[in-house]
Amino acid sequence: MKADTSPSPTRRVTDAPTRMFHWLFALCFTGAYLTSESERVQVVHAAFGYTMVALLVFRLIYGWLGPRPVRWSSVITKLKSGWAWCRTFQLQDVSAANLRSAQNFALVLATSCLFVLAVPLILSGHVLYVGTSDWLESLHELAANIMLLSVLAHLGLLLFISFLRGTNLAIPMWCGRVPGAGPDLVTDPRVWLAFVLLMVSSAFGVWSVL
């Protein structure tokens, strides 16, 4: 009797541009944070920061024109649902609570915080790059540290919830697919757009320091 060697079914839940944005944004923030203390590499630090601007502009537009899972309407719906869950949650009845909703809300909230925190971080960084200000320098450093804590919280939540569910929640950002049968949430992978995003953001980063 032959063993069944057919591949396990999977479905696409994340497209290539979303994954490219995620990893480029993470790379730029990490690079900017690591180069923040050295005066000799401030040009490199600025390049990472300005590239984050370009990436955020892309994400803003893609949140309106992209597939449903990454649209702002979907994010807002998830935040509203999570907030509604928090308002109805009762500590004395934890066993009956839908903790999966709480987990999803925590993940979406952490991701949304990263987008919000990036705004004062980048704006203050731009002003400091072209001039100087003591209070803005403090604000810039504070925003960077809070954003770092938010990144760590995001990673910690992914690890913790992955452990609770017995599945790796980071898989969609690696390959765009998750195990299991069912319809694809994203029908078109848009690999070409991910390549364009990589080329344009790289060119923008180089141009910003010339």
Side-chain angles (χ1 to χ4, degrees), residues 29 32 36 42 45-46 49-50 52-53 56 116-147:
F29 174 73
S36 60
Q42 282 305 295
H45 177 76
Y50 287 126
M52 287 176 66
V53 175
L56 284 174
V116 173
L117 287 170
V119 175
L121 177 66
I122 292 171
L123 289 177
S124 59
H126 170 69
V127 175
L128 289 172
Y129 189 63
V130 298
T132 180
S133 174
D134 291 338
W135 72 271
L136 267 181
E137 186 173 350
S138 299
L139 174 63
H140 187 66
E141 183 177 353
L142 177 63
N145 289 330
I146 294 177
M147 189 164 178

Side-chain angles (χ1 to χ4, degrees), residues 133-206:
S133 174
D134 291 338
W135 72 271
L136 267 181
E137 186 173 350
S138 299
L139 174 63
H140 187 66
E141 183 177 353
L142 177 63
N145 289 330
I146 294 177
M147 189 164 178
L148 177 62
L149 291 176
S150 298
V151 169
L152 296 176
H154 175 65
L155 295 176
L157 281 170
L158 273 177
L159 181 63
F160 180 64
I161 296 175
S162 294
F163 173 76
L164 290 179
R165 297 185 183 180
T167 183
N168 188 351
L169 295 182
I171 287 179
M173 282 302 169
W174 283 109
C175 61
R177 308 185 74 91
V178 294
D184 292 336
L185 297 183
V186 178
T187 56
D188 187 357
R190 294 184 175 91
V191 176
W192 65 271
L193 184 56
F195 180 77
V196 171
L197 176 61
L198 175 62
M199 294 295 101
V200 171
S201 58
S202 300
F204 184 83
V206 174

